[in-house]
Amino acid sequence: REDLNPEIRRLSGLILKNKINSFLDKKKEQTKKKNFFLNDSSIEEEIKKNVIKVLNIQNKFVRRTGSQVLAKIFQIELANGQTSELISYLISFLENSNYQTNLYCGILETVQFLCQEINYKDLSDQFLDFLSENVWKLIFPILNEKNYSFFDNLKVSALTTLLASLELFEKKFKKPENRNFFFKTICIQLTDSNSQTRKLGFEIFDKIIPKYYEYLDLHIPFLFEITLQTLKNQDDDVSLQAIEFWSSLAEKEFEINIFSYQALHEGRVPFTFSQFYIIKTSHILPQFLFKCLIDKNKNQEKEEWDTSNSAGICINLMSQAAPKELIFLVNSFVELNLQKSACFSNIESAFMAFVAVFDGIGSKMLYGKINFFLFLFIGQLDTSNYNICSLASWTLGKICLGGSFFFAI
């Protein structure tokens, strides 16, 4: 009922969703097949029609709840052997409504929740092909249609759904033309005026690294340039996700380096090879990450996870994948800011940069200069700034945990 309070409608939907969820959990434990709607198709159809109407309302919270309920109903149909009816009905309903924005968002959210819940291994190849093809057709026209630029919510819904359904497109991605189309489309999103769209674009690239690393070669130069631009603009949410992307890339290349070393040690040919993206970008990207550390220390009011924390982790992971290049830059950064800088935020950033690489595999390259760093760090204990004194003590403590090995050098 549209005249009811939106909060009551939302809570009613949550009760129905939880009831269906409880039914699905019990069904997994029972060998005897049961139908949630007690084999009364008229009840099922009535509920579906009412829930689908909710997808077209303005209130996004009620609409989102309706999407969750519809995704659960779809799970029931899958459990009962029904496959494409609901998806076909939703697409037909959308076409007949002339692609109304609210309805489109509601259907995309339904697909998003469905892809998060279902186990693809339990579905037939035929149905997976049907589902992937239709979800593909729902998502990509929006992302490639310039006239949708003023429908920011619709594009964000499409990207969120794509993020949830990436596993669904594994078969499509085996074809180079589909892969290239996908990569180019997501690259375009990184230039969008909406920060949420750009953030989701980086998040999608971050998620595909484990499976599609070998296909990123053509797009890394663009991703590198857009990352630098993002960090320059200091858009925190987008910058954070951009840094996360490079952290994942560094982690992947370190993993490849380890596997390659093991394979060569055992006399085998490695099954994959590093493209050395981190080494290729190590002469510029770390400088921007150092700036993130400095900017954070100039404004210390915020305590939540931010670009400074993410930058520290990224520096650490990059030092694993490209130790020679990163350790040299960190050495220079620490020396410059501890010897010549009188700015407290720069000094704090130097300590953070040193600690970021100290625990990694690349830290062995620091050992030869440990006495020099000890001299610098001890010198910072004689300061009236409490934060710097604490950081110096903490850093010296980490060095001392290395034992007499360091002091024997």
Side-chain angles (χ1 to χ4, degrees), residues 346-358:
N346 288 32
I347 295 173
E348 290 179 26
S349 300
F351 279 112
M352 292 172 66
F354 179 87
V355 173
V357 299
F358 186 77

Side-chain angles (χ1 to χ4, degrees), residues 122-376:
D122 295 338
L123 304 177
S124 67
D125 291 340
Q126 182 180 0
F127 176 68
L128 280 175
D129 290 343
F130 168 84
L131 186 59
S132 66
E133 191 62 36
N134 281 280
V135 173
W136 185 277
K137 289 177 181 178
L138 275 174
I139 292 173
F140 284 94
I142 299 172
L143 301 181
N144 287 289
E145 177 56 66
K146 294 181 181 179
N147 292 332
Y148 277 115
S149 60
F150 54 92
F151 291 132
D152 288 339
N153 291 337
L154 188 55
K155 188 172 278 191
V156 168
S157 293
L159 287 168
T160 306
T161 302
L162 178 58
L163 185 64
S165 60
L166 284 172
E167 188 180 348
L168 184 63
F169 303 125
E170 283 189 14
K171 189 174 180 180
K172 290 184 77 70
F173 286 159
K174 290 179 180 178
K175 295 181 179 180
E177 59 269 25
N178 288 336
R179 263 198 327 268
N180 292 334
F181 173 75
F182 168 81
F183 285 137
K184 288 178 181 178
T185 300
I186 304 307
C187 283
I188 291 172
Q189 310 314 308
L190 298 177
T191 63
D192 194 89
S193 59
N194 188 315
S195 62
Q196 184 67 10
T197 299
R198 299 197 302 275
K199 176 179 178 291
L200 284 165
F202 275 115
E203 197 169 348
I204 289 169
F205 269 114
D206 184 16
K207 191 171 181 179
I208 64 176
I209 286 174
K211 287 189 177 181
Y212 303 105
Y213 168 83
E214 60 190 292
Y215 303 115
L216 292 174
D217 194 40
L218 292 175
H219 309 285
I220 284 295
F222 171 78
L223 289 167
F224 177 65
E225 291 295 331
I226 204 72
T227 296
L228 298 188
Q229 183 179 330
T230 300
L231 294 177
K232 281 181 183 177
N233 294 337
Q234 296 184 330
D235 187 338
D236 284 353
D237 287 340
V238 185
S239 296
L240 183 61
Q241 195 57 58
I243 295 171
E244 293 287 349
F245 165 76
W246 287 97
S247 294
S248 298
L249 201 60
E251 195 169 15
K252 178 65 177 179
E253 292 198 342
F254 176 62
E255 179 185 286
I256 292 173
N257 292 342
I258 294 297
F259 288 151
S260 297
Y261 175 80
Q262 290 176 341
L264 293 172
H265 183 70
E266 296 169 5
R268 296 182 288 106
V269 177
F271 64 87
T272 187
F273 296 91
S274 176
Q275 300 295 323
F276 303 110
Y277 298 135
I278 299 303
I279 290 178
K280 292 174 183 176
T281 59
S282 62
H283 61 296
I284 296 179
L285 184 58
Q287 304 294 347
F288 283 79
L289 298 177
F290 293 149
K291 190 174 185 305
C292 288
L293 295 178
I294 293 173
D295 290 343
K296 161 64 179 177
N297 286 313
K298 287 180 179 177
N299 181 17
Q300 297 184 345
E301 282 83 17
K302 295 181 180 179
E303 295 296 331
E304 68 269 15
W305 185 268
D306 59 11
T307 52
S308 175
N309 304 119
S310 188
I313 296 295
C314 190
I315 291 169
N316 175 271
L317 292 169
M318 289 182 74
S319 74
Q320 316 295 313
K324 182 179 178 181
E325 291 76 10
L326 262 293
I327 297 302
F328 173 78
L329 288 173
V330 170
N331 283 349
S332 301
F333 180 74
V334 172
E335 289 181 35
L336 177 67
N337 286 285
L338 289 186
Q339 287 185 312
K340 299 180 180 180
S341 178
C343 177
F344 288 146
S345 63
N346 288 32
I347 295 173
E348 290 179 26
S349 300
F351 279 112
M352 292 172 66
F354 179 87
V355 173
V357 299
F358 186 77
D359 292 328
I361 193 172
S363 65
K364 292 182 179 179
M365 301 179 69
L366 292 170
Y367 295 169
K369 298 191 68 174
I370 200 67
N371 288 330
F372 172 74
F373 284 122
L374 281 171
F375 174 78
L376 290 180

